[in-house]
Amino acid sequence: MDFELTNRQKQIRLAAREFAEGEFPAVAREYDRREEFPRDLWKKACELGFIGLFIKKEYGGLGLGFVEFAMVMEEFWRVDPGCGNILLAGFGSELIQLYGTEEQKKKYLPPLTKGKAIMGTAITEPDAGSDILSILTLARKDGNEYVINGSKQFITNGSIANYLAVFCVAYPEAESRLRRFGVIIVETDSPGFSALKITGKMGIRASDTAELRFSDVKVPKENLIGMEEGEGFSQIMQLFNINRVIAASQGIGVAQGALDKAIQYVKKRKQFGQPLAGFQAIQFKIAEMATWVEAARVLTYQAGWMIDHRKMDPKLISMAKWLAGEVGVKVTNEALQLHGGYGYIAEYDIERFYRDAKIVEIYEGTKEIEKNTIAREILGDYRR
Ligand SMILES: Cc1cc2nc3c(=O)[nH]c(=O)nc-3n(C[C@H](O)[C@H](O)[C@H](O)COP(=O)(O)OP(=O)(O)OC[C@H]3O[C@@H](n4cnc5c(N)ncnc54)[C@H](O)[C@@H]3O)c2cc1C
């Protein structure tokens, strides 16, 4: 067993930290206020190889693993979660890399790493969130095309993406319910496609979120990811496995960032004639927060390491995602509390971190759905 990061990993972590610390603080509050995707930061992150860093070299990426992706996400979120989500500009490329045909990989992966395209993945619908098998968006086969009708809700990058991986009912007649789905790449300049940006989000406001409509959107049948019919559900589950680890790293990042701010603040702020850090109640709080963050980090790295070593463990992944989400919310809450009244004012970044943290308990599977997965894996079929 080896808990040491490799030199390469240490360099990547440092590069991510330097980039985020150098670029985000001056603009983060403004992007949050304007609810605007930071295109300039995204472009710079592409130039440095951060976007799609897990994409193989032959398709324009650095060919790194998901542990490295998680580390970079953590460092970005540590400085600012909203700006940090520029790393999701290739959300769905994991699917193309894993299952796509050679043509799909050549066409859709390189533009993502070169700053020429943004993508997203559209699963959730107005009436199908946690229960993804209930989606209604229909991709009807018509000769050499799929004709897509339906709507999607809360889609990251939805109004700025050049293409989207869309989870559809494509084979409604399939005997097994699990084989009725396909993931289809839709280019967003296709006639019949429209996106409406959602504003007024509580947090990660620099991250784009949109509602999508598909009205007779025609897509060549070659855009079915992998070209093998009936594989959509298992492809999406695999994407969840990967991206739950990435979401967990967001929880760790926001928690670590909040903890850093709290440590600085309690050393500086004096009450009753001494720095807050002098009170044992405050020391215990800092000790607990640091321990929670470290526990979530170890679990997340382990889950990521398992993916990179082809030992996917959905139970461990869900544990990491649930714990890191909870730690993100708990630590930002405590860190704000340690700032007293100042923490409640937007002038202090901790106010934004507190708002940003909550999303980790919601997307990529809510905390309840993560616990369902953990319990199912532990209890098995208890009815027998
Ligand atoms: C900012 C943002 C970005 C997002 N980005 C994307 C994206 O890029 N792509 C995408 O497809 N989706 C995205 N989502 C959607 C997100 O994944 C869903 O919101 C989430 O899966 C929950 O679905 P829902 O909102 O419909 O809630 P519901 O599924 O209706 O759940 C409501 C509540 O009931 C609980 N619940 C539901 N079922 C059970 C159960 N069986 N047992 C116990 N409790 C249960 C849930 O945990 C939750 O607390 C995003 C959402 C947000 C807010």
Side-chain angles (χ1 to χ4, degrees):
M1 198 182 289
D2 186 357
F3 285 100
E4 264 291 307
L5 299 183
T6 63
N7 282 339
R8 183 94 202 271
Q9 287 170 332
K10 286 180 192 162
Q11 282 165 5
I12 293 165
R13 175 186 281 285
L14 187 64
R17 182 171 299 182
E18 282 176 359
F19 174 72
E21 286 180 349
E23 300 285 342
F24 296 176
V27 293
R29 200 172 303 157
E30 196 49 26
Y31 277 119
D32 174 74
R33 196 186 63 75
R34 296 207 305 257
E35 303 191 50
E36 186 184 324
F37 179 76
R39 275 191 183 270
D40 51 341
L41 297 181
W42 161 66
K43 282 269 182 197
K44 285 183 192 166
C46 286
E47 280 160 23
L48 293 170
F50 289 124
I51 309 291
L53 53 77
F54 51 85
I55 291 174
K56 292 199 177 109
K57 288 186 179 155
E58 61 261 43
Y59 306 112
L62 299 179
L64 296 170
F66 289 106
V67 168
E68 286 81 13
F69 185 22
M71 268 175 197
V72 173
M73 185 63 94
E74 181 188 330
E75 289 300 330
F76 279 22
W77 268 57
R78 180 180 186 165
V79 182
D80 185 68
C83 292
N85 261 7
I86 53 173
L87 278 177
L88 294 183
F91 180 35
S93 55
E94 301 88 339
L95 274 180
I96 298 178
Q97 171 146 290
L98 271 175
Y99 303 108
T101 61
E102 195 50 34
E103 290 69 29
Q104 289 168 350
K105 290 179 192 173
K106 280 191 182 137
K107 181 170 181 192
Y108 293 112
L109 295 179
L112 298 171
T113 61
K114 295 197 176 83
K116 298 223 159 23
I118 291 175
M119 89 170 279
T121 299
I123 307 162
T124 308
E125 298 187 357
D127 295 320
S130 303
D131 182 11
I132 70 164
L133 289 176
S134 297
I135 61 151
L136 297 172
T137 296
L138 187 66
R140 182 173 49 82
K141 248 177 147 180
D142 184 10
N144 284 334
E145 292 175 330
Y146 285 101
V147 182
I148 305 179
N149 280 286
S151 55
K152 295 285 176 184
Q153 180 70 302
F154 303 138
I155 305 308
T156 300
N157 303 331
S159 80
I160 56 169
N162 301 81
Y163 33 91
L164 295 154
V166 183
F167 184 52
C168 303
V169 177
Y171 318 102
E173 269 87 47
E175 211 165 288
S176 158
R177 195 179 175 203
L178 300 185
R179 295 201 55 84
R180 291 183 190 159
F181 305 94
V183 185
I184 298 174
I185 303 169
V186 176
E187 300 187 9
T188 55
D189 57 3
S190 308
F193 173 84
S194 62
L196 184 66
K197 181 180 166 81
I198 297 172
T199 56
K201 291 206 304 283
M202 173 184 178
I204 55 162
R205 288 154 61 96
S207 176
D208 181 77
T209 313
E211 285 174 34
L212 314 179
R213 296 263 181 283
F214 301 82
S215 177
D216 283 332
V217 176
K218 296 193 173 71
V219 179
K221 74 173 183 353
E222 289 72 34
N223 280 25
L224 174 72
I225 292 186
M227 295 292 290
E228 205 181 314
E229 299 189 356
E231 290 296 307
F233 178 71
S234 74
Q235 292 175 353
I236 287 293
M237 292 319 285
Q238 201 69 339
L239 181 69
F240 276 137
N241 278 327
I242 294 170
N243 277 290
R244 283 177 179 169
V245 171
I246 302 308
S249 69
Q250 297 176 335
I252 301 162
V254 71
Q256 183 67 58
L259 175 60
D260 296 344
K261 290 180 203 317
I263 292 169
Q264 250 181 18
Y265 191 80
V266 299
K267 284 182 173 176
K268 209 173 65 197
R269 173 76 172 169
K270 286 195 178 133
Q271 289 294 284
F272 301 98
Q274 64 164 337
L276 293 177
F279 297 103
Q280 196 178 47
I282 304 273
Q283 293 168 4
F284 277 17
K285 224 175 229 197
I286 296 287
E288 285 169 16
M289 289 155 78
T291 307
W292 288 330
V293 175
E294 204 50 46
R297 182 178 286 126
V298 170
L299 199 52
T300 300
Y301 283 8
Q302 191 190 348
W305 185 92
M306 303 277 281
I307 294 177
D308 286 341
H309 288 79
R310 299 180 197 288
K311 298 176 186 178
M312 189 79 77
D313 183 344
K315 180 182 74 190
L316 198 72
I317 290 168
S318 285
M319 286 175 168
K321 162 71 166 59
W322 164 61
L323 184 67
E326 178 130 322
V327 165
V329 168
K330 217 148 94 166
V331 170
T332 51
N333 182 27
E334 293 288 15
L336 190 150
Q337 187 70 19
L338 288 171
H339 282 73
Y342 294 100
Y344 202 67
I345 309 295
E347 196 187 322
Y348 281 71
D349 289 340
I350 195 64
E351 178 265 354
R352 196 172 65 254
F353 274 55
Y354 176 78
R355 292 189 280 108
D356 289 337
K358 183 64 192 173
I359 191 61
V360 183
E361 291 196 320
I362 295 174
Y363 64 11
E364 292 299 325
T366 64
K367 60 178 171 175
E368 290 78 16
I369 294 303
E370 304 307 344
K371 287 185 210 172
N372 281 350
T373 303
I374 299 164
R376 193 170 51 239
E377 297 265 337
I378 293 172
L379 295 172
D381 188 358
Y382 52 83
R383 290 186 192 88
R384 269 194 302 185

